[in-house]
Amino acid sequence: MTTTTRSGSRNQRNNPYLFDGLFVTFHHSAAGVAWRWRTELAILLALTAALWRLTLLITIIRAAITLAALVLVLLAVPVTRRFITRRFWCVLARHRIQRLCYEARLHTRTGRLPLVLWTRPTKVGERARVLCRAGICAEDFEAHIGELRAACFARDARVSRNPRWSQLVTIDIIRRDTLAASQSVPSPLQALGPPRTGLPPKAAHSLALITSDPPHNEH
């Protein structure tokens, strides 16, 4: 019993997150939650409104089948599929950045996290614009580059601040290397094979020996 008590006291003393629950209270307002899940809420409201509208015209089962078929068509068309895929990664990057700010303690002493204003796709990944609150700066994100790229499942991550408004931080999530070769092009000369001399094999071998470097004379 004494050993258990001492072990518990030692674990509590060495716990780096012990004082987070005592002095930091995170704010979870309805507006903040709605802003964080704005994309999911907009999609849910749009699907609900479409389902309700179709239910007035046809049955609810046929309305659900129609919406499911519409989603499959959007995923089948290459243009819309690429748009949906890129937007999906933007939403995922936003959530992962916010989660990183919580886990890496990139928040104020009052428990306010940085605000991700928007995310948009780029040629190499995604770009997020973050509003830092008082007590947080761009250098804090630069110190957690490794955690940032790991949290976003990315190849790399870059952080830069606005030259005029230092509270605005731009985070570039690098997922693809556009300069890397996607495929190797073989040389057309490989299909021709070795050069032909028009000589028999023995004569070609003798000619190769004659044209090679002569041995050095030993003195």
Side-chain angles (χ1 to χ4, degrees):
M1 182 175 180
T2 306
T3 305
T4 305
T5 304
R6 292 179 179 178
S7 177
S9 301
R10 182 171 61 252
N11 292 337
Q12 293 178 359
R13 184 175 64 254
N14 296 334
N15 184 10
Y17 305 102
L18 178 62
F19 297 101
D20 285 357
L22 298 178
F23 300 102
V24 179
T25 302
F26 288 92
H27 299 270
H28 299 285
S29 61
V33 174
W35 176 260
R36 179 175 180 178
W37 297 92
R38 59 187 181 273
T39 303
E40 292 83 353
L41 291 176
I43 294 175
L44 181 60
L45 291 177
L47 290 178
T48 304
L51 183 61
W52 173 76
R53 185 62 180 175
L54 289 175
T55 305
L56 299 178
L57 302 176
I58 55 179
T59 61
I60 186 172
I61 297 178
R62 292 183 178 180
I65 295 176
T66 303
L67 288 179
L70 178 61
V71 172
L72 292 178
V73 170
L74 294 177
L75 294 177
V77 178
V79 177
T80 55
R81 183 175 66 248
R82 286 193 298 268
F83 177 82
I84 294 174
T85 302
R86 291 178 179 179
R87 292 300 171 180
F88 167 78
W89 282 109
C90 288
V91 174
L92 180 63
R94 183 177 75 238
H95 287 294
R96 298 302 293 176
I97 291 174
Q98 291 173 335
R99 188 63 187 180
L100 169 72
C101 294
Y102 174 79
E103 297 292 344
R105 296 183 178 184
L106 295 178
H107 53 76
T108 63
R109 296 184 64 181
T110 58
R112 294 185 178 276
L113 298 174
L115 186 62
V116 181
L117 299 177
W118 52 260
T119 54
R120 65 177 181 87
T122 60
K123 294 182 179 180
V124 296
E126 299 85 41
R127 172 170 293 179
R129 181 64 61 88
V130 180
L131 175 63
C132 295
R133 302 182 187 273
I136 307 172
C137 59
E139 286 74 14
D140 294 332
F141 286 93
E142 291 178 352
H144 294 83
I145 287 292
E147 295 88 343
L148 183 60
R149 60 171 173 254
C152 296
F153 315 112
R155 178 195 298 263
D156 198 1
R158 300 171 185 172
V159 176
S160 59
R161 63 179 179 87
N162 190 286
R164 182 178 180 182
W165 308 101
S166 58
Q167 71 273 19
L168 296 178
V169 177
T170 301
I171 300 177
D172 289 305
I173 306 299
I174 311 299
R175 300 190 186 278
R176 297 174 296 274
D177 187 4
T178 56
L179 299 179
S182 59
Q183 59 181 358
S184 60
V185 180
S187 175
L189 300 177
Q190 295 180 356
L192 301 178
R196 299 180 180 179
T197 58
L199 299 176
K202 292 184 179 181
H205 180 66
S206 301
L207 181 60
L209 293 178
I210 294 173
T211 56
S212 62
D213 295 336
H216 298 281
N217 296 327
E218 296 181 358
H219 298 284

